[in-house]
Amino acid sequence: MKQLSAKGLRVRLGDRLVLDDVSATFDAGNVTAILGPNGAGKSTLLTCLAGLLKPARGSVKLGDESLDTLPSRLRAQRIGFLPQLQEIAWSVDVATLVALGRLPHRGFGTPTVADQFAVEQALHAVGLTDFADRVATSLSGGERARALLARVLAGEPPWLLADEPLTGLDVGYQLDACKLLRRIASAGIGVVLTLHDLQLAARVADRILLLRDGKIVADAAPAEALTTATIKQVYGVDSEITTGAHGLVIDVVGRA
Amino acid sequence: MKHPPLSIVLIGGVVLVLGLAVLSLSVGRIWIPLATFLNDADTTQRAILLGLRVPRTLLAMLVGGGLALCGAALQGYTRNPLADPGILGVSPMAALGAVTTLYLGLNTTPWVLPAAAVGGAMLGIVLLLLLARLTGGVVTFLLAGVVLQSLAGAGVALALSLAPNPWAINEIVNWLLGSLQDRSVNELQLATPFVLVGAALIFTTRRALDALTLGETGARALGIELDTTRVLLVLGVGLVAGGCVAVTGVISFVGLVVPHLVRPLVGARPGRLLFPSALGGAALVLAADMLVRLTPAAAELRLGVALSVLGAPFFLLLLVQQRRRLA
């Protein structure tokens, strides 16, 4: 399970080709950010990687196993997926919400000590230990995003796939979340994200996958993948890139 | 948000249901003192007790528990606090199935009517899911329910207007009002297998209903096969709602009201809500049925009518509460 690999993915939604022959390999212990303009196919690629969307052609493999043939419960144990839409349908308390992440590991019985421990660890990791008894639907946007991330972490998956986990967070929370994602990756978990913010992506990711119109334009470390040329090609904007004390500084100057 | 331990709530629920059941045996136009349960002195009272009160009490528990279970499951699946087998058109479709057999005079054996009701209920949920599937919002589900209710209402009206004789009209109308009056062991025997098998199917969807708290994508990410869940719920709710409607007619609002009363006690997690809701539904219908028996009127007030009178304002209240979410 050291690698999650997509080979020749092709996805059609309606009459639009959303992914066109996409191949990429993701390594455990790394943070990979998938970038690209709206409609480039970022979310679609991530959903395919999570095994939630079956591509028309191509396949996704976790280690040597194809996601197609992996039973959905095993898949859910191995790949934690955080959807973009932060849906919480009922006013359950935060601990109950996070405990839902244990479902792939649990039968019908009461939660085991291991289940409870995993939930506590997950709450601790996102800094919501004191919020365990709060009603999840009454949380602020940032707290809600962290609670839902804790839900995924509670499943202790070796892979974490998150669809725009930083959208809607303020600058402080974004930095906190980046730090947390780095820490998760350094524990050996493979992290794959979709992002909109180039600057944050450069800061958090080991590797960047640039998509445009369902095709990969660049697939490399941030400094190589994010150049004025690739940014112009993918987003149609001019930019100035310098290296600052904290990594790349990407200044988008205007439409090309 | 702390709740009392689930075991306490369940024990309390069972005690409440058993207490109401014992009371239900004794309450009515003719009061039967509790002492009669033990000695067999008065044969008339004994006949009333065994022939009428016992089946009626058991049916009230079965139907109340079944309908509340359906309501809790449908609310969990649709993530819609306004869901109810009656409001979403499932029970009316079951009634249409039953009325069709009455109209066509097909009831040569007792199993035809419940089977038709179950078939109607299942068709109702399948249509509901087909109508609401595209967007599946709260409003869409309610509108789909309105469509189904109209459809079922039109079918029943058609059967009434074409009814061959006044006797058939009388039978159909009686049906629609929903009642537990004069039900015997026969009805109990008919409904019980459907309700129990359906309830067992509904209980198997507990994990899926819990996971759906995170929406459909969230549930699938947790390894839930939603297609399987859908099939189990169509069969389960169809069997329970159809079985209930077959012996009592349409009783609305039990499925809507009970989960809301139970949530403050056990929390809002949908899977956890199922069994306590069934207990609550049994208690509610037992209590309501005793009230209608005691209403001072020439004819007994219909249970379905009484529960609608109680349930409609509750529905209105929920709608007002939900207004912001619906807008």
Side-chain angles (χ1 to χ4, degrees), chain A residues 52 72 75-76 87 89-91 103 106 108 133, chain B residues 1 75 79 206-207 213 215 220-223 225:
Chain A
L52 299 177
S72 52
R75 188 207 68 222
E87 189 169 350
W90 300 104
S91 6
L103 275 179
R106 286 183 51 194
F108 279 105
D133 291 335
Chain B
M1 201 171 53
Q75 289 182 13
R79 307 184 292 296
R206 280 202 328 262
R207 288 159 46 89
T213 303
R220 289 182 54 226
L222 284 170
E225 301 277 5

mmCIF file with all atom_site columns, all heavy atoms in Angstrom, chain A residues 52 72 75-76 87 89-91 103 106 108 133, chain B residues 1 75 79 206-207 213 215 220-223 225:
data_model
loop_
_atom_site.group_PDB
_atom_site.id
_atom_site.type_symbol
_atom_site.label_atom_id
_atom_site.label_alt_id
_atom_site.label_comp_id
_atom_site.label_asym_id
_atom_site.label_entity_id
_atom_site.label_seq_id
_atom_site.pdbx_PDB_ins_code
_atom_site.Cartn_x
_atom_site.Cartn_y
_atom_site.Cartn_z
_atom_site.occupancy
_atom_site.B_iso_or_equiv
_atom_site.pdbx_formal_charge
_atom_site.auth_seq_id
_atom_site.auth_comp_id
_atom_site.auth_asym_id
_atom_site.auth_atom_id
_atom_site.pdbx_PDB_model_num
ATOM 1   N N   . LEU A 1 52  ? -14.585 6.199  -5.581 1.00 0.00 ? 52  LEU A N   1
ATOM 2   C CA  . LEU A 1 52  ? -16.004 6.534  -5.523 1.00 0.00 ? 52  LEU A CA  1
ATOM 3   C C   . LEU A 1 52  ? -16.596 6.825  -6.894 1.00 0.00 ? 52  LEU A C   1
ATOM 4   O O   . LEU A 1 52  ? -17.796 7.003  -7.031 1.00 0.00 ? 52  LEU A O   1
ATOM 5   C CB  . LEU A 1 52  ? -16.217 7.753  -4.612 1.00 0.00 ? 52  LEU A CB  1
ATOM 6   C CG  . LEU A 1 52  ? -15.773 7.559  -3.166 1.00 0.00 ? 52  LEU A CG  1
ATOM 7   C CD1 . LEU A 1 52  ? -15.944 8.836  -2.373 1.00 0.00 ? 52  LEU A CD1 1
ATOM 8   C CD2 . LEU A 1 52  ? -16.561 6.424  -2.523 1.00 0.00 ? 52  LEU A CD2 1
ATOM 9   N N   . SER A 1 72  ? -15.970 -2.596 -0.753 1.00 0.00 ? 72  SER A N   1
ATOM 10  C CA  . SER A 1 72  ? -16.056 -1.177 -0.407 1.00 0.00 ? 72  SER A CA  1
ATOM 11  C C   . SER A 1 72  ? -15.658 -0.920 1.049  1.00 0.00 ? 72  SER A C   1
ATOM 12  O O   . SER A 1 72  ? -15.134 0.136  1.376  1.00 0.00 ? 72  SER A O   1
ATOM 13  C CB  . SER A 1 72  ? -17.457 -0.648 -0.683 1.00 0.00 ? 72  SER A CB  1
ATOM 14  O OG  . SER A 1 72  ? -18.410 -1.464 -0.079 1.00 0.00 ? 72  SER A OG  1
ATOM 15  N N   . ARG A 1 75  ? -11.908 -0.877 1.212  1.00 0.00 ? 75  ARG A N   1
ATOM 16  C CA  . ARG A 1 75  ? -11.464 0.364  0.575  1.00 0.00 ? 75  ARG A CA  1
ATOM 17  C C   . ARG A 1 75  ? -11.615 1.537  1.541  1.00 0.00 ? 75  ARG A C   1
ATOM 18  O O   . ARG A 1 75  ? -10.713 2.371  1.676  1.00 0.00 ? 75  ARG A O   1
ATOM 19  C CB  . ARG A 1 75  ? -12.307 0.604  -0.688 1.00 0.00 ? 75  ARG A CB  1
ATOM 20  C CG  . ARG A 1 75  ? -11.826 1.749  -1.539 1.00 0.00 ? 75  ARG A CG  1
ATOM 21  C CD  . ARG A 1 75  ? -12.974 2.341  -2.330 1.00 0.00 ? 75  ARG A CD  1
ATOM 22  N NE  . ARG A 1 75  ? -13.914 2.990  -1.440 1.00 0.00 ? 75  ARG A NE  1
ATOM 23  C CZ  . ARG A 1 75  ? -15.228 2.909  -1.538 1.00 0.00 ? 75  ARG A CZ  1
ATOM 24  N NH1 . ARG A 1 75  ? -15.796 2.197  -2.489 1.00 0.00 ? 75  ARG A NH1 1
ATOM 25  N NH2 . ARG A 1 75  ? -16.005 3.553  -0.682 1.00 0.00 ? 75  ARG A NH2 1
ATOM 26  N N   . ALA A 1 76  ? -12.756 1.554  2.251  1.00 0.00 ? 76  ALA A N   1
ATOM 27  C CA  . ALA A 1 76  ? -13.009 2.647  3.188  1.00 0.00 ? 76  ALA A CA  1
ATOM 28  C C   . ALA A 1 76  ? -12.035 2.614  4.371  1.00 0.00 ? 76  ALA A C   1
ATOM 29  O O   . ALA A 1 76  ? -11.702 3.651  4.931  1.00 0.00 ? 76  ALA A O   1
ATOM 30  C CB  . ALA A 1 76  ? -14.446 2.581  3.688  1.00 0.00 ? 76  ALA A CB  1
ATOM 31  N N   . GLU A 1 87  ? -21.244 18.382 4.578  1.00 0.00 ? 87  GLU A N   1
ATOM 32  C CA  . GLU A 1 87  ? -22.607 18.079 4.992  1.00 0.00 ? 87  GLU A CA  1
ATOM 33  C C   . GLU A 1 87  ? -22.645 17.425 6.376  1.00 0.00 ? 87  GLU A C   1
ATOM 34  O O   . GLU A 1 87  ? -21.936 16.457 6.636  1.00 0.00 ? 87  GLU A O   1
ATOM 35  C CB  . GLU A 1 87  ? -23.267 17.155 3.956  1.00 0.00 ? 87  GLU A CB  1
ATOM 36  C CG  . GLU A 1 87  ? -24.749 16.996 4.221  1.00 0.00 ? 87  GLU A CG  1
ATOM 37  C CD  . GLU A 1 87  ? -25.470 16.314 3.075  1.00 0.00 ? 87  GLU A CD  1
ATOM 38  O OE1 . GLU A 1 87  ? -24.879 16.130 1.997  1.00 0.00 ? 87  GLU A OE1 1
ATOM 39  O OE2 . GLU A 1 87  ? -26.643 15.945 3.277  1.00 0.00 ? 87  GLU A OE2 1
ATOM 40  N N   . ALA A 1 89  ? -25.974 16.326 8.429  1.00 0.00 ? 89  ALA A N   1
ATOM 41  C CA  . ALA A 1 89  ? -27.426 16.390 8.277  1.00 0.00 ? 89  ALA A CA  1
ATOM 42  C C   . ALA A 1 89  ? -28.167 16.527 9.602  1.00 0.00 ? 89  ALA A C   1
ATOM 43  O O   . ALA A 1 89  ? -29.237 17.119 9.655  1.00 0.00 ? 89  ALA A O   1
ATOM 44  C CB  . ALA A 1 89  ? -27.921 15.151 7.526  1.00 0.00 ? 89  ALA A CB  1
ATOM 45  N N   . TRP A 1 90  ? -27.603 15.978 10.682 1.00 0.00 ? 90  TRP A N   1
ATOM 46  C CA  . TRP A 1 90  ? -28.333 15.979 11.953 1.00 0.00 ? 90  TRP A CA  1
ATOM 47  C C   . TRP A 1 90  ? -27.508 16.657 13.032 1.00 0.00 ? 90  TRP A C   1
ATOM 48  O O   . TRP A 1 90  ? -26.279 16.636 12.975 1.00 0.00 ? 90  TRP A O   1
ATOM 49  C CB  . TRP A 1 90  ? -28.648 14.543 12.372 1.00 0.00 ? 90  TRP A CB  1
ATOM 50  C CG  . TRP A 1 90  ? -29.480 13.823 11.379 1.00 0.00 ? 90  TRP A CG  1
ATOM 51  C CD1 . TRP A 1 90  ? -29.050 12.873 10.500 1.00 0.00 ? 90  TRP A CD1 1
ATOM 52  C CD2 . TRP A 1 90  ? -30.874 14.003 11.121 1.00 0.00 ? 90  TRP A CD2 1
ATOM 53  N NE1 . TRP A 1 90  ? -30.090 12.454 9.717  1.00 0.00 ? 90  TRP A NE1 1
ATOM 54  C CE2 . TRP A 1 90  ? -31.224 13.127 10.072 1.00 0.00 ? 90  TRP A CE2 1
ATOM 55  C CE3 . TRP A 1 90  ? -31.858 14.825 11.677 1.00 0.00 ? 90  TRP A CE3 1
ATOM 56  C CZ2 . TRP A 1 90  ? -32.518 13.052 9.574  1.00 0.00 ? 90  TRP A CZ2 1
ATOM 57  C CZ3 . TRP A 1 90  ? -33.151 14.740 11.172 1.00 0.00 ? 90  TRP A CZ3 1
ATOM 58  C CH2 . TRP A 1 90  ? -33.468 13.863 10.139 1.00 0.00 ? 90  TRP A CH2 1
ATOM 59  N N   . SER A 1 91  ? -28.201 17.199 14.029 1.00 0.00 ? 91  SER A N   1
ATOM 60  C CA  . SER A 1 91  ? -27.459 17.883 15.094 1.00 0.00 ? 91  SER A CA  1
ATOM 61  C C   . SER A 1 91  ? -26.898 16.880 16.103 1.00 0.00 ? 91  SER A C   1
ATOM 62  O O   . SER A 1 91  ? -27.338 16.822 17.237 1.00 0.00 ? 91  SER A O   1
ATOM 63  C CB  . SER A 1 91  ? -28.331 18.921 15.803 1.00 0.00 ? 91  SER A CB  1
ATOM 64  O OG  . SER A 1 91  ? -29.645 18.878 15.375 1.00 0.00 ? 91  SER A OG  1
ATOM 65  N N   . LEU A 1 103 ? -16.874 3.634  11.360 1.00 0.00 ? 103 LEU A N   1
ATOM 66  C CA  . LEU A 1 103 ? -17.838 2.687  10.775 1.00 0.00 ? 103 LEU A CA  1
ATOM 67  C C   . LEU A 1 103 ? -17.212 1.581  9.925  1.00 0.00 ? 103 LEU A C   1
ATOM 68  O O   . LEU A 1 103 ? -17.612 0.421  10.040 1.00 0.00 ? 103 LEU A O   1
ATOM 69  C CB  . LEU A 1 103 ? -18.888 3.438  9.944  1.00 0.00 ? 103 LEU A CB  1
ATOM 70  C CG  . LEU A 1 103 ? -20.097 3.994  10.704 1.00 0.00 ? 103 LEU A CG  1
ATOM 71  C CD1 . LEU A 1 103 ? -21.029 4.722  9.752  1.00 0.00 ? 103 LEU A CD1 1
ATOM 72  C CD2 . LEU A 1 103 ? -20.864 2.880  11.404 1.00 0.00 ? 103 LEU A CD2 1
ATOM 73  N N   . ARG A 1 106 ? -16.151 -1.146 12.224 1.00 0.00 ? 106 ARG A N   1
ATOM 74  C CA  . ARG A 1 106 ? -17.051 -1.638 13.266 1.00 0.00 ? 106 ARG A CA  1
ATOM 75  C C   . ARG A 1 106 ? -18.136 -2.556 12.739 1.00 0.00 ? 106 ARG A C   1
ATOM 76  O O   . ARG A 1 106 ? -18.569 -2.454 11.608 1.00 0.00 ? 106 ARG A O   1
ATOM 77  C CB  . ARG A 1 106 ? -17.744 -0.458 13.943 1.00 0.00 ? 106 ARG A CB  1
ATOM 78  C CG  . ARG A 1 106 ? -16.844 0.315  14.868 1.00 0.00 ? 106 ARG A CG  1
ATOM 79  C CD  . ARG A 1 106 ? -17.613 1.393  15.541 1.00 0.00 ? 106 ARG A CD  1
ATOM 80  N NE  . ARG A 1 106 ? -18.833 0.871  16.143 1.00 0.00 ? 106 ARG A NE  1
ATOM 81  C CZ  . ARG A 1 106 ? -19.823 1.643  16.564 1.00 0.00 ? 106 ARG A CZ  1
ATOM 82  N NH1 . ARG A 1 106 ? -19.754 2.934  16.429 1.00 0.00 ? 106 ARG A NH1 1
ATOM 83  N NH2 . ARG A 1 106 ? -20.883 1.111  17.118 1.00 0.00 ? 106 ARG A NH2 1
ATOM 84  N N   . PHE A 1 108 ? -21.989 -4.291 14.245 1.00 0.00 ? 108 PHE A N   1
ATOM 85  C CA  . PHE A 1 108 ? -23.193 -3.663 14.769 1.00 0.00 ? 108 PHE A CA  1
ATOM 86  C C   . PHE A 1 108 ? -23.074 -3.371 16.263 1.00 0.00 ? 108 PHE A C   1
ATOM 87  O O   . PHE A 1 108 ? -23.885 -2.675 16.831 1.00 0.00 ? 108 PHE A O   1
ATOM 88  C CB  . PHE A 1 108 ? -24.415 -4.550 14.515 1.00 0.00 ? 108 PHE A CB  1
ATOM 89  C CG  . PHE A 1 108 ? -24.942 -4.402 13.127 1.00 0.00 ? 108 PHE A CG  1
ATOM 90  C CD1 . PHE A 1 108 ? -24.721 -5.379 12.170 1.00 0.00 ? 108 PHE A CD1 1
ATOM 91  C CD2 . PHE A 1 108 ? -25.648 -3.271 12.766 1.00 0.00 ? 108 PHE A CD2 1
ATOM 92  C CE1 . PHE A 1 108 ? -25.210 -5.233 10.889 1.00 0.00 ? 108 PHE A CE1 1
ATOM 93  C CE2 . PHE A 1 108 ? -26.138 -3.117 11.490 1.00 0.00 ? 108 PHE A CE2 1
ATOM 94  C CZ  . PHE A 1 108 ? -25.916 -4.096 10.544 1.00 0.00 ? 108 PHE A CZ  1
ATOM 95  N N   . ASP A 1 133 ? -18.516 17.424 23.237 1.00 0.00 ? 133 ASP A N   1
ATOM 96  C CA  . ASP A 1 133 ? -19.945 17.382 23.563 1.00 0.00 ? 133 ASP A CA  1
ATOM 97  C C   . ASP A 1 133 ? -20.761 18.465 22.872 1.00 0.00 ? 133 ASP A C   1
ATOM 98  O O   . ASP A 1 133 ? -21.966 18.559 23.061 1.00 0.00 ? 133 ASP A O   1
ATOM 99  C CB  . ASP A 1 133 ? -20.141 17.515 25.087 1.00 0.00 ? 133 ASP A CB  1
ATOM 100 C CG  . ASP A 1 133 ? -19.634 16.287 25.809 1.00 0.00 ? 133 ASP A CG  1
ATOM 101 O OD1 . ASP A 1 133 ? -19.594 15.215 25.175 1.00 0.00 ? 133 ASP A OD1 1
ATOM 102 O OD2 . ASP A 1 133 ? -19.267 16.402 26.995 1.00 0.00 ? 133 ASP A OD2 1
ATOM 103 N N   . MET B 2 1   ? -23.785 18.198 24.678 1.00 0.00 ? 1   MET B N   1
ATOM 104 C CA  . MET B 2 1   ? -25.134 17.642 24.620 1.00 0.00 ? 1   MET B CA  1
ATOM 105 C C   . MET B 2 1   ? -25.106 16.228 25.196 1.00 0.00 ? 1   MET B C   1
ATOM 106 O O   . MET B 2 1   ? -24.687 15.288 24.554 1.00 0.00 ? 1   MET B O   1
ATOM 107 C CB  . MET B 2 1   ? -25.598 17.602 23.172 1.00 0.00 ? 1   MET B CB  1
ATOM 108 C CG  . MET B 2 1   ? -27.098 17.525 23.042 1.00 0.00 ? 1   MET B CG  1
ATOM 109 S SD  . MET B 2 1   ? -27.658 17.744 21.336 1.00 0.00 ? 1   MET B SD  1
ATOM 110 C CE  . MET B 2 1   ? -26.718 16.560 20.401 1.00 0.00 ? 1   MET B CE  1
ATOM 111 N N   . GLN B 2 75  ? -36.731 9.365  7.619  1.00 0.00 ? 75  GLN B N   1
ATOM 112 C CA  . GLN B 2 75  ? -36.082 10.636 7.961  1.00 0.00 ? 75  GLN B CA  1
ATOM 113 C C   . GLN B 2 75  ? -34.571 10.498 7.857  1.00 0.00 ? 75  GLN B C   1
ATOM 114 O O   . GLN B 2 75  ? -33.888 11.374 7.347  1.00 0.00 ? 75  GLN B O   1
ATOM 115 C CB  . GLN B 2 75  ? -36.483 11.074 9.377  1.00 0.00 ? 75  GLN B CB  1
ATOM 116 C CG  . GLN B 2 75  ? -37.927 11.536 9.449  1.00 0.00 ? 75  GLN B CG  1
ATOM 117 C CD  . GLN B 2 75  ? -38.341 12.018 10.824 1.00 0.00 ? 75  GLN B CD  1
ATOM 118 O OE1 . GLN B 2 75  ? -37.515 12.245 11.698 1.00 0.00 ? 75  GLN B OE1 1
ATOM 119 N NE2 . GLN B 2 75  ? -39.639 12.184 11.016 1.00 0.00 ? 75  GLN B NE2 1
ATOM 120 N N   . ARG B 2 79  ? -32.548 12.327 5.038  1.00 0.00 ? 79  ARG B N   1
ATOM 121 C CA  . ARG B 2 79  ? -31.984 13.424 5.810  1.00 0.00 ? 79  ARG B CA  1
ATOM 122 C C   . ARG B 2 79  ? -32.977 14.581 5.866  1.00 0.00 ? 79  ARG B C   1
ATOM 123 O O   . ARG B 2 79  ? -32.655 15.728 5.702  1.00 0.00 ? 79  ARG B O   1
ATOM 124 C CB  . ARG B 2 79  ? -30.641 13.872 5.207  1.00 0.00 ? 79  ARG B CB  1
ATOM 125 C CG  . ARG B 2 79  ? -29.737 12.659 5.078  1.00 0.00 ? 79  ARG B CG  1
ATOM 126 C CD  . ARG B 2 79  ? -28.369 12.939 4.603  1.00 0.00 ? 79  ARG B CD  1
ATOM 127 N NE  . ARG B 2 79  ? -28.213 13.383 3.252  1.00 0.00 ? 79  ARG B NE  1
ATOM 128 C CZ  . ARG B 2 79  ? -28.507 12.667 2.178  1.00 0.00 ? 79  ARG B CZ  1
ATOM 129 N NH1 . ARG B 2 79  ? -29.016 11.464 2.292  1.00 0.00 ? 79  ARG B NH1 1
ATOM 130 N NH2 . ARG B 2 79  ? -28.303 13.138 0.975  1.00 0.00 ? 79  ARG B NH2 1
ATOM 131 N N   . ARG B 2 206 ? -29.025 0.235  9.704  1.00 0.00 ? 206 ARG B N   1
ATOM 132 C CA  . ARG B 2 206 ? -28.612 1.171  10.755 1.00 0.00 ? 206 ARG B CA  1
ATOM 133 C C   . ARG B 2 206 ? -27.312 1.905  10.440 1.00 0.00 ? 206 ARG B C   1
ATOM 134 O O   . ARG B 2 206 ? -27.226 3.129  10.525 1.00 0.00 ? 206 ARG B O   1
ATOM 135 C CB  . ARG B 2 206 ? -28.426 0.416  12.077 1.00 0.00 ? 206 ARG B CB  1
ATOM 136 C CG  . ARG B 2 206 ? -29.698 0.157  12.770 1.00 0.00 ? 206 ARG B CG  1
ATOM 137 C CD  . ARG B 2 206 ? -29.567 -0.082 14.249 1.00 0.00 ? 206 ARG B CD  1
ATOM 138 N NE  . ARG B 2 206 ? -28.379 -0.707 14.727 1.00 0.00 ? 206 ARG B NE  1
ATOM 139 C CZ  . ARG B 2 206 ? -28.251 -2.002 15.012 1.00 0.00 ? 206 ARG B CZ  1
ATOM 140 N NH1 . ARG B 2 206 ? -29.257 -2.810 14.793 1.00 0.00 ? 206 ARG B NH1 1
ATOM 141 N NH2 . ARG B 2 206 ? -27.157 -2.480 15.507 1.00 0.00 ? 206 ARG B NH2 1
ATOM 142 N N   . ARG B 2 207 ? -26.280 1.109  10.086 1.00 0.00 ? 207 ARG B N   1
ATOM 143 C CA  . ARG B 2 207 ? -24.974 1.727  9.826  1.00 0.00 ? 207 ARG B CA  1
ATOM 144 C C   . ARG B 2 207 ? -25.052 2.709  8.665  1.00 0.00 ? 207 ARG B C   1
ATOM 145 O O   . ARG B 2 207 ? -24.467 3.794  8.703  1.00 0.00 ? 207 ARG B O   1
ATOM 146 C CB  . ARG B 2 207 ? -23.946 0.644  9.489  1.00 0.00 ? 207 ARG B CB  1
ATOM 147 C CG  . ARG B 2 207 ? -23.516 -0.206 10.642 1.00 0.00 ? 207 ARG B CG  1
ATOM 148 C CD  . ARG B 2 207 ? -22.940 -1.516 10.140 1.00 0.00 ? 207 ARG B CD  1
ATOM 149 N NE  . ARG B 2 207 ? -22.010 -1.330 9.041  1.00 0.00 ? 207 ARG B NE  1
ATOM 150 C CZ  . ARG B 2 207 ? -20.716 -1.128 9.199  1.00 0.00 ? 207 ARG B CZ  1
ATOM 151 N NH1 . ARG B 2 207 ? -20.197 -1.138 10.392 1.00 0.00 ? 207 ARG B NH1 1
ATOM 152 N NH2 . ARG B 2 207 ? -19.937 -0.937 8.174  1.00 0.00 ? 207 ARG B NH2 1
ATOM 153 N N   . THR B 2 213 ? -25.519 10.659 7.623  1.00 0.00 ? 213 THR B N   1
ATOM 154 C CA  . THR B 2 213 ? -25.394 11.957 8.291  1.00 0.00 ? 213 THR B CA  1
ATOM 155 C C   . THR B 2 213 ? -24.388 12.829 7.545  1.00 0.00 ? 213 THR B C   1
ATOM 156 O O   . THR B 2 213 ? -24.487 14.052 7.536  1.00 0.00 ? 213 THR B O   1
ATOM 157 C CB  . THR B 2 213 ? -24.916 11.748 9.747  1.00 0.00 ? 213 THR B CB  1
ATOM 158 O OG1 . THR B 2 213 ? -25.846 10.900 10.395 1.00 0.00 ? 213 THR B OG1 1
ATOM 159 C CG2 . THR B 2 213 ? -24.823 13.054 10.507 1.00 0.00 ? 213 THR B CG2 1
ATOM 160 N N   . GLY B 2 215 ? -23.959 12.875 4.344  1.00 0.00 ? 215 GLY B N   1
ATOM 161 C CA  . GLY B 2 215 ? -24.350 13.018 2.954  1.00 0.00 ? 215 GLY B CA  1
ATOM 162 C C   . GLY B 2 215 ? -24.019 11.761 2.158  1.00 0.00 ? 215 GLY B C   1
ATOM 163 O O   . GLY B 2 215 ? -23.377 10.847 2.671  1.00 0.00 ? 215 GLY B O   1
ATOM 164 N N   . ARG B 2 220 ? -20.719 6.934  1.128  1.00 0.00 ? 220 ARG B N   1
ATOM 165 C CA  . ARG B 2 220 ? -20.031 6.018  0.215  1.00 0.00 ? 220 ARG B CA  1
ATOM 166 C C   . ARG B 2 220 ? -18.552 5.942  0.569  1.00 0.00 ? 220 ARG B C   1
ATOM 167 O O   . ARG B 2 220 ? -17.936 4.881  0.491  1.00 0.00 ? 220 ARG B O   1
ATOM 168 C CB  . ARG B 2 220 ? -20.235 6.460  -1.227 1.00 0.00 ? 220 ARG B CB  1
ATOM 169 C CG  . ARG B 2 220 ? -21.671 6.237  -1.692 1.00 0.00 ? 220 ARG B CG  1
ATOM 170 C CD  . ARG B 2 220 ? -21.863 6.628  -3.138 1.00 0.00 ? 220 ARG B CD  1
ATOM 171 N NE  . ARG B 2 220 ? -20.897 5.956  -3.988 1.00 0.00 ? 220 ARG B NE  1
ATOM 172 C CZ  . ARG B 2 220 ? -20.198 6.560  -4.941 1.00 0.00 ? 220 ARG B CZ  1
ATOM 173 N NH1 . ARG B 2 220 ? -20.352 7.847  -5.157 1.00 0.00 ? 220 ARG B NH1 1
ATOM 174 N NH2 . ARG B 2 220 ? -19.350 5.878  -5.666 1.00 0.00 ? 220 ARG B NH2 1
ATOM 175 N N   . ALA B 2 221 ? -17.986 7.083  0.979  1.00 0.00 ? 221 ALA B N   1
ATOM 176 C CA  . ALA B 2 221 ? -16.576 7.083  1.370  1.00 0.00 ? 221 ALA B CA  1
ATOM 177 C C   . ALA B 2 221 ? -16.354 6.197  2.588  1.00 0.00 ? 221 ALA B C   1
ATOM 178 O O   . ALA B 2 221 ? -15.257 5.682  2.797  1.00 0.00 ? 221 ALA B O   1
ATOM 179 C CB  . ALA B 2 221 ? -16.109 8.511  1.655  1.00 0.00 ? 221 ALA B CB  1
ATOM 180 N N   . LEU B 2 222 ? -17.397 6.007  3.403  1.00 0.00 ? 222 LEU B N   1
ATOM 181 C CA  . LEU B 2 222 ? -17.278 5.136  4.569  1.00 0.00 ? 222 LEU B CA  1
ATOM 182 C C   . LEU B 2 222 ? -17.558 3.674  4.213  1.00 0.00 ? 222 LEU B C   1
ATOM 183 O O   . LEU B 2 222 ? -17.709 2.832  5.095  1.00 0.00 ? 222 LEU B O   1
ATOM 184 C CB  . LEU B 2 222 ? -18.226 5.599  5.674  1.00 0.00 ? 222 LEU B CB  1
ATOM 185 C CG  . LEU B 2 222 ? -17.760 6.832  6.440  1.00 0.00 ? 222 LEU B CG  1
ATOM 186 C CD1 . LEU B 2 222 ? -18.866 7.355  7.346  1.00 0.00 ? 222 LEU B CD1 1
ATOM 187 C CD2 . LEU B 2 222 ? -16.526 6.520  7.266  1.00 0.00 ? 222 LEU B CD2 1
ATOM 188 N N   . GLY B 2 223 ? -17.664 3.393  2.926  1.00 0.00 ? 223 GLY B N   1
ATOM 189 C CA  . GLY B 2 223 ? -17.809 2.004  2.489  1.00 0.00 ? 223 GLY B CA  1
ATOM 190 C C   . GLY B 2 223 ? -19.247 1.515  2.435  1.00 0.00 ? 223 GLY B C   1
ATOM 191 O O   . GLY B 2 223 ? -19.494 0.323  2.348  1.00 0.00 ? 223 GLY B O   1
ATOM 192 N N   . GLU B 2 225 ? -22.696 0.759  0.726  1.00 0.00 ? 225 GLU B N   1
ATOM 193 C CA  . GLU B 2 225 ? -23.253 0.540  -0.616 1.00 0.00 ? 225 GLU B CA  1
ATOM 194 C C   . GLU B 2 225 ? -24.673 1.086  -0.623 1.00 0.00 ? 225 GLU B C   1
ATOM 195 O O   . GLU B 2 225 ? -25.601 0.444  -0.145 1.00 0.00 ? 225 GLU B O   1
ATOM 196 C CB  . GLU B 2 225 ? -23.277 -0.955 -0.947 1.00 0.00 ? 225 GLU B CB  1
ATOM 197 C CG  . GLU B 2 225 ? -21.921 -1.630 -0.922 1.00 0.00 ? 225 GLU B CG  1
ATOM 198 C CD  . GLU B 2 225 ? -21.164 -1.446 -2.232 1.00 0.00 ? 225 GLU B CD  1
ATOM 199 O OE1 . GLU B 2 225 ? -21.665 -0.709 -3.106 1.00 0.00 ? 225 GLU B OE1 1
ATOM 200 O OE2 . GLU B 2 225 ? -20.084 -2.040 -2.362 1.00 0.00 ? 225 GLU B OE2 1
#
